[in-house]
Amino acid sequence: MSWSRRLAGLCFLLCAAAPAAEPPPAHPLSLAELTALALRNNPQTRAAWASLAQSQAAEKIAAAGYWPTVNASFSAQRLRSLAAQGNSVAAQTRLSPSLSLSWLLFDFGSRGGSADQAAANVLVAQYGLNQSLQDLALSVESGYYSLLGQRALSQAHQQSLDEAQANLDAAQTKHKAGLATVADVYQAQAALAAAQLSLQQSQGNARIAQGALAVAAGYAPDTLLQLTDWQADATQARLPATTLEQLLTQARGARSELLAAQASEQAAAAAVRIARGDALPKLNLSGSAGQTRILDVGTSRQYSAAATLSVPLFAGGALHAAIAQARAAQDLAQANRETVLRSVEQAVWSAWQNMQTAYSGLASSRLQEQAAQRAAEAIRARYQNGLSSMLDLLSSEATLAQARVTRIQAALDWYTALATLAHNAGGLRLPDEATAPGVTP
């Protein structure tokens, strides 16, 4: 069973009957819990289910064309009329039940084309539902990692702010002792203000990410969702066990939007059959039976049966134009399928390259942060002993702050790239823990 079908089945169990968003849980949510919550609450899910229900109803309507149409009617009439000589006739009560039947016995493909077209449209809706669920899952994953990443950045900027405050305190102490100039104090104050600005910006970005994640989960943007801690430092990054060629092959058979395009092409082919059948003869059977009862007088029975062969002879060229129109729509659907195929392949290719780039950046960003941390500690000690200038200290602190941001961004890029690749390829398999080389992000 494909990843998209498993996701669709999960959503059916979680959200098929969900009328409205449930209150947000009070406990911290993992990514899996948050995704399940979004599948229950997000209105896009309910809209996709409603679209599928419409298509399924249309399929039943098309299948009804193979069956006869039977109608029953009953009329009751009370009347009084004049005879031919002008004498009045006694009032009469007439009761008239009747039954009528109409049945298309044979055509040249219109009815079958309508049924096939409706069935193909159901497939389109089903694959559209799967795609909506996958897109929503990716949106939740991206929002989840973005929010945790912005929170981690805020913590890093807070750490840089604390270090900038410590540098300012040290500069002021040395200035009072006559061991530093007032320029050192001003430089430390400027660095402190810059650290405060970076912290405020990251906190604002975290609030924006919080709102986006709440909306993806089906809530108002001011809803506060608690999330489990991001254990980025304890997570072992592993490359997928599937090759790029395998992922491309998998995406060609698993991506819902491509399967929907193929189903749309089938629906367009069925529309050509419908247009052709409309230009050919049809044989219909019709009949009726009923009776009229006049109270206190008697009962009469009526019936009729007819077979009608309808042959379209001339419609001003509309029938042939309809066939040409359906064929053009079929060509358009085929071209659209090929366009979607190339788009899917390009999406997998780009996601794979982004994942490789993100993976290679994990180790280098970690080494960069470690080296910057050691350099900053060394220069901080030298400044305390008067062996380095304030400019050297602030430069090392800025390098350290940027290294922290780079390391957090590298981890965020890795998780986002992995989620995007899984989405674009229709699923992803990671190697076994025991045999997989890893990089700690």
Side-chain angles (χ1 to χ4, degrees):
M1 182 181 293
S2 68
W3 177 75
S4 61
R5 291 183 180 178
R6 289 197 298 269
L7 183 59
L10 172 63
C11 183
F12 178 79
L13 295 176
L14 294 175
C15 64
E22 61 185 67
H27 65 276
L29 299 171
S30 65
L31 178 57
E33 292 173 325
L34 187 62
T35 303
L37 185 66
L39 292 177
R40 291 195 298 268
N41 291 341
N42 196 291
Q44 295 178 5
T45 300
R46 296 195 295 274
W49 277 108
S51 177
L52 176 58
Q54 284 183 321
S55 299
Q56 291 172 335
E59 183 181 23
K60 294 180 179 179
I61 293 173
Y66 287 98
W67 295 91
T69 300
V70 181
N71 294 309
S73 64
F74 179 85
S75 66
Q77 184 180 26
R78 179 71 176 175
L79 61 88
R80 185 171 185 175
S81 60
L82 294 176
Q85 295 80 9
N87 299 324
S88 62
V89 179
Q92 296 178 339
T93 300
R94 295 186 178 186
L95 304 177
S96 304
S98 64
L99 192 68
S100 63
L101 176 145
S102 177
W103 195 356
L104 176 62
L105 294 179
F106 179 77
D107 64 4
F108 283 86
S110 296
R111 184 170 45 180
S114 297
D116 292 344
Q117 185 183 44
N121 286 333
V122 169
L123 291 177
V124 172
Q126 288 175 338
Y127 292 132
L129 170 63
N130 289 344
Q131 189 63 48
S132 297
L133 301 182
Q134 294 171 28
D135 292 344
L136 177 58
L138 178 61
S139 177
V140 171
E141 286 180 292
S142 300
Y144 175 83
Y145 292 132
S146 178
L147 176 56
L148 293 183
Q150 290 299 330
R151 289 178 177 177
L153 286 175
S154 296
Q155 294 174 358
H157 289 309
Q158 181 63 58
Q159 187 175 359
S160 298
L161 178 63
D162 295 340
E163 292 168 349
Q165 182 65 56
N167 293 336
L168 176 60
D169 294 341
Q172 290 175 337
T173 300
K174 294 185 67 174
H175 176 64
K176 291 178 181 179
L179 301 176
T181 66
V182 70
D184 289 352
V185 177
Y186 293 151
Q187 288 176 339
Q189 289 176 342
L192 178 63
Q196 289 174 336
L197 177 60
S198 297
L199 176 60
Q200 292 167 354
Q201 290 175 338
S202 63
Q203 290 174 339
N205 292 334
R207 289 190 291 268
I208 293 174
Q210 169 68 47
L213 183 60
V215 170
Y219 297 106
D222 59 349
T223 304
L224 180 61
L225 296 176
Q226 301 183 50
L227 304 181
T228 55
D229 293 335
W230 187 21
Q231 302 295 335
D233 292 337
T235 301
Q236 198 74 3
R238 293 170 292 140
L239 287 172
T242 313
T243 65
L244 175 58
E245 291 73 16
Q246 291 172 331
L247 289 177
L248 287 170
T249 301
Q250 174 182 300
R252 296 183 188 107
R255 278 294 294 271
S256 296
E257 60 186 44
L258 179 56
L259 298 176
Q262 293 172 352
S264 295
E265 187 177 0
Q266 296 172 3
V272 175
R273 292 176 55 196
I274 296 174
R276 288 174 178 171
D278 289 341
L280 297 173
K282 292 180 176 62
L283 179 61
N284 286 274
L285 174 66
S286 62
S288 64
Q291 69 176 17
T292 301
R293 181 186 179 189
I294 303 176
L295 297 183
D296 300 328
V297 176
T299 301
S300 64
R301 293 180 175 83
Q302 310 88 33
Y303 65 88
S304 67
T308 304
L309 179 64
S310 175
V311 181
L313 297 178
F314 180 73
L319 296 177
H320 293 288
I323 296 174
Q325 183 183 41
R327 286 174 175 169
Q330 184 180 14
D331 293 339
L332 179 61
Q334 181 180 4
N336 180 66
R337 176 185 57 80
E338 294 175 356
T339 300
V340 173
L341 173 61
R342 295 296 172 257
S343 176
V344 166
E345 292 173 341
Q346 176 62 30
V348 173
W349 174 271
S350 298
W352 175 272
Q353 305 305 328
N354 288 335
M355 183 203 64
Q356 295 288 342
T357 302
Y359 182 79
S360 62
L362 292 173
S364 58
S365 64
R366 168 61 65 183
L367 293 176
Q368 179 184 1
E369 183 186 21
Q370 293 173 349
Q373 180 70 42
R374 289 192 292 268
E377 292 173 353
I379 294 180
R380 192 178 300 118
R382 288 175 59 85
Y383 178 75
Q384 294 290 346
N385 295 324
L387 300 177
S388 293
S389 66
M390 172 59 69
L391 185 60
D392 295 333
L393 177 60
L394 295 180
S395 177
S396 66
E397 296 287 358
T399 301
L400 175 58
Q402 183 58 45
R404 289 172 180 155
V405 172
T406 301
R407 194 263 305 170
I408 295 172
Q409 188 62 51
L412 178 60
D413 290 345
W414 163 251
Y415 288 116
T416 303
L418 204 61
T420 303
L421 180 60
H423 169 272
N424 293 351
L428 200 60
R429 183 174 64 88
L430 292 177
D432 296 334
E433 290 279 356
T435 61
V439 174
T440 301

